[in-house]
Amino acid sequence: MSQNSRAQLAQQIIDAGRFLYSRGWSPATSSNYSVRLSNATALLTVSGKHKGELTAEDVLAVDWQGQSLEQGKKPSAETLLHTQLYQWRDSLGAVLHTHSVDACVLSMLVTDDHIALHGYELQKALEGFGTHEATVLVPIFDNDQNIPRLAEQVQQWLDTHPECVGYLIRGHGLYTWGAQMSDALRQIEAFECMFACELKLRALRK
């Protein structure tokens, strides 16, 4: 891939960071974002950077094993959760992980291993869901510092739920993805709106 193409992809990550930070979905140094760089590599945010202030130096190339391909740059501890998705589905071009208040709180409130979203018009903004009458299952995984173990749990769900377009890590945040960065950003917005609705419904039903 040409340097210009790499620069354009890096700019997509930078722009996404500014947008997601402005919405309060990626506070401080939380979150990580990536785009597919080739059939065996991805471009990912480096560890510990403020996502609203990213520069071209704050992204690095990694292989599918999550290893940095750029000397002196450290990838996120959660890199394998990105590269896993690119290997699972060749059509994926971007993966976003955010830490919004609503996603974290909702994942802590729900004691089941998933949340079922149903009846929302915004479900149609998710890839593969063309009607509000469908049910969107969003799995919730317990937070785990053992990323390979967490990745295995995620893969087990994906193997049995190939329609999955996002998942939550309890008390941690949302992962979603798309063919392009714009698709992943659209799904972040849709999920965040539905998560906010779910929290309000739970409060009103008490």
Side-chain angles (χ1 to χ4, degrees):
M1 183 165 288
S2 70
Q3 187 61 37
N4 285 339
S5 294
R6 186 191 190 284
Q8 291 169 355
L9 292 171
Q11 190 62 48
Q12 289 182 18
I13 291 176
I14 292 167
D15 292 343
R18 290 173 180 167
F19 171 71
L20 295 168
Y21 173 74
S22 74
R23 297 298 297 269
W25 297 336
S26 289
T29 59
S30 70
S31 306
N32 36 72
Y33 324 128
S34 69
V35 292
R36 183 187 292 272
L37 190 58
S38 73
N39 61 2
T41 60
L43 202 60
L44 184 89
T45 46
V46 301
S47 178
K49 294 294 183 177
H50 191 293
K51 298 310 183 294
E53 302 173 357
L54 294 173
T55 70
E57 292 301 310
D58 298 327
V59 298
L60 79 161
V62 295
D63 61 23
W64 284 168
Q65 289 69 51
Q67 299 300 308
S68 174
L69 299 177
E70 299 182 26
Q71 187 173 4
K73 291 188 177 184
K74 179 184 177 183
S76 165
E78 298 165 22
T79 298
L80 288 177
L81 297 178
H82 288 252
T83 59
Q84 166 193 43
L85 291 166
Y86 293 120
Q87 293 177 86
W88 169 60
R89 185 156 290 169
D90 291 342
S91 61
L92 294 187
V95 177
L96 296 174
H97 170 45
T98 48
H99 285 232
S100 76
V101 172
D102 287 345
C104 289
V105 172
L106 185 60
S107 68
M108 296 291 279
L109 283 176
V110 176
T111 57
D112 291 336
D113 65 356
H114 70 277
I115 182 170
L117 302 174
H118 180 78
Y120 293 107
E121 184 69 11
L122 265 177
Q123 291 171 202
K124 294 194 288 187
L126 304 177
E127 181 67 28
F129 292 89
T131 173
H132 69 282
E133 296 178 342
T135 296
V136 180
L137 295 182
V138 182
I140 305 174
F141 303 98
D142 289 336
N143 202 6
D144 193 343
Q145 299 305 302
N146 186 326
I147 299 302
R149 180 169 59 196
L150 178 56
E152 177 59 29
Q153 293 172 359
V154 171
Q155 192 60 56
Q156 289 176 9
W157 178 277
L158 296 175
D159 288 342
T160 55
H161 299 82
E163 77 286 355
C164 183
V165 291
Y167 65 83
L168 288 165
I169 301 175
R170 207 176 302 279
H172 189 159
L174 169 69
Y175 269 86
T176 191
W177 47 85
Q180 302 179 69
M181 179 64 78
S182 58
D183 299 313
L185 286 168
R186 183 189 71 245
Q187 295 197 160
I188 288 278
E189 285 199 84
F191 273 126
E192 288 296 342
C193 180
M194 290 186 282
F195 292 162
C197 288
E198 285 293 314
L199 285 173
K200 289 182 179 180
L201 283 171
R202 281 165 168 72
L204 290 169
R205 287 168 178 164
K206 288 185 177 179

